Amino acid sequence: MSVTLKGSVRQGRLILDIDVAVGDEIVAISGVNGIGKTTFLRVLAGLLPLDAGILQVNGIVLDDVDNQIFVPAHLRNVGMVFQDNVLLPFLSALDNVAYPLMATGIGRQQAQQLAIDAMEQHGIGHLAQMKPTQLSGGQQQRVAITRALAMRPKLMLFDEPTSALDPELVGEVLTAMQDLANSGMTMIVVTHEMGFARKVADTVAFMDAGLIVESGPPDQLLDHPQHERTKSFFSKVL
Amino acid sequence: MSTRKRRVGAETPPFVWVGASCALLFLLLPLVGLLKRVAWSGIFGAVTSGPASEALRLSLITSVVATMIALVLGLPLAWVLARIEFRGRSMVRALVMLPMVLPPVVGGVALLGAYGKSNGLIGGWLFDVFGLQLTFSPLGVVVAEAFVALPFLVMAVESGLRSIDPRFEESAATMGLGPSERFRKVTLRLLAPSLIAGVAVAWARALGEFGATITFAGNIEGRTQTTPLAVYLLLESDPEAAYALSFVLLAICVAVLVAMRGSWMGRRS
């Protein structure tokens, strides 16, 4: 697995300018809100085209402004889990997992079987018939993670998956993500859960004003940050 | 009596009760008057015979067709207004909403200016090339009704589209659904309550259309005389039938209100 992005994109007043390479690893990204973390994930997912530069995943060009190449999100096979409003409200948990499978041409019965298998494998088989409104925020996120994984993505993006949850529900989602990390999935996680970052991430990156200011192994970045901005941020959140 | 004081700002000044009661009375009194005048025993006969039944039949057909036209044209327009940023968008929106505030008679005159056979902008051409005459024809009724109903549909659908969190569609995209699949499986389904509400108000508006219809399509019995026009004329010749027809229109509108309670009020199931 390799992701290389060297490019920039403008979002309102923010200019994201990223030069980064990610290998087979878990990357945790932190930084204050509104400085481009979500924008970065959206570029990787194909929800936002670059204004300049190149994005490659496993050597395949997904976005190349100079050569007018842009592979849209639905052709990228990059999974993404959002902060909230993650499940379609009119479908059961099971059908939420099954409907993207059906969109690939799998029949309804087989898609539902695959979905129930996936849910049981992730320990949420008992939630299959529930509507999203009947699920806790943490359960919704676990269904969303299972759904994204059912599409067999090669890369998983998480955009603050626990930030909208009540504190007591954070644990189950982080556990599900840790299990996923242990299975060898490449993950890029925007999070403020520094305990999770320290325990699970191979690399922690700190973003500010559209740039990755500093990155490195968790212990190094969290305990001995080099950059002034990083120092001041982590001194407040840790 | 409770001695607990209410939160400041939650007390109701006396004039509010008086004013609200008067307003309700003002709205209800004519309805009571209408219901009182309906000859219940002969109501079925009154609306199923003669010009009344003709008018009702014509109204139902033209209003349904007009609503379908409003839907087919209005959904894409609402999409453009809700989702695409372009210069002059607010100007376009104001233009779209114009028929809502325009006096219907003026709308009818404007339609004549566009589709009138002898003097209209493209009316003569429509007749020469396609043999289509809109004025004084049932098709003209449909055009007049669609013209006044379209903005209601666009408004409901546009606000519905705006209220959909884009993340539903974005997450569908990251799971491999292409644009048209996303539209069918996600957007349209999330939009359904607004779409139903929009169709309901557009249809109610089309059904009640009077001014633009009589101006543009005329008042020909069995051809362009819709129920509201018939009510107006029957009031002279056959008041019983007029009240019966009025009641039918009222009943339909109440049914529409009940059916869209929730979606139109912004409540979700």
Side-chain angles (χ1 to χ4, degrees), chain A residues 42 45 47 73-74 78 80 82-85 87-90 99-100 103 147 151, chain B residues 165 167-179 181-182 185-186 189-190:
Chain A
R42 288 168 59 80
L47 298 171
H74 67 281
V78 171
M80 185 153 173
F82 295 78
Q83 188 173 347
D84 53 12
N85 265 350
L87 301 179
L88 292 176
F90 49 86
Y99 90 87
R147 178 177 65 178
M151 301 307 292
Chain B
D165 187 331
R167 274 177 292 187
F168 287 121
E169 289 149 305
E170 289 180 348
S171 66
T174 63
M175 288 179 300
L177 275 75
E181 283 173 315
R182 291 202 294 276
K185 295 204 155 125
V186 180
R189 187 60 185 72
L190 289 167

Side-chain angles (χ1 to χ4, degrees), chain B residues 171-249:
Chain B
S171 66
T174 63
M175 288 179 300
L177 275 75
S180 62
E181 283 173 315
R182 291 202 294 276
F183 178 71
R184 279 187 295 117
K185 295 204 155 125
V186 180
T187 318
L188 212 51
R189 187 60 185 72
L190 289 167
L191 191 61
S194 311
L195 212 50
I196 292 167
V199 165
V201 279
W203 183 57
R205 183 66 188 85
L207 195 63
E209 200 343 328
F210 185 98
T213 308
I214 199 168
T215 312
F216 180 59
N219 186 12
I220 308 163
E221 201 182 306
R223 205 170 146 70
T224 67
Q225 189 183 85
T226 56
T227 312
L229 304 185
V231 167
Y232 182 71
L233 285 184
L234 286 171
L235 216 43
E236 292 284 317
S237 60
D238 185 359
E240 201 169 296
Y243 276 102
L245 270 186
S246 297
F247 172 73
V248 171
L249 286 183

Side-chain angles (χ1 to χ4, degrees), chain A residues 17-82:
Chain A
D17 196 352
I18 299 284
D19 184 353
V20 72
V22 176
D24 280 316
E25 57 180 331
I26 315 296
V27 180
I29 301 173
S30 195
V32 292
N33 290 327
I35 46 83
K37 305 191 298 294
T38 296
T39 304
F40 174 51
L41 293 189
R42 288 168 59 80
V43 166
L44 296 179
L47 298 171
L48 189 65
L50 288 168
D51 291 334
I54 295 183
L55 166 67
Q56 291 190 7
V57 173
N58 283 345
I60 298 167
V61 177
L62 295 182
D63 198 341
D64 181 346
V65 177
D66 290 340
N67 292 307
Q68 298 190 336
I69 296 169
F70 177 71
V71 178
H74 67 281
L75 302 175
R76 283 194 185 187
N77 203 14
V78 171
M80 185 153 173
V81 174
F82 295 78

Side-chain angles (χ1 to χ4, degrees), chain A residues 126-169:
Chain A
H126 59 292
L127 305 178
Q129 298 309 325
M130 306 267 230
K131 279 284 169 74
T133 48
Q134 298 171 300
L135 301 176
S136 74
Q139 290 171 331
Q140 289 184 34
Q141 284 296 22
R142 289 172 66 192
V143 174
I145 293 169
T146 305
R147 178 177 65 178
L149 290 174
M151 301 307 292
R152 304 193 177 284
K154 45 199 173 183
L155 168 68
M156 279 290 285
L157 310 174
F158 293 83
D159 189 9
E160 300 198 36
T162 60
S163 295
L165 300 180
D166 288 335
E168 77 270 20
L169 302 175

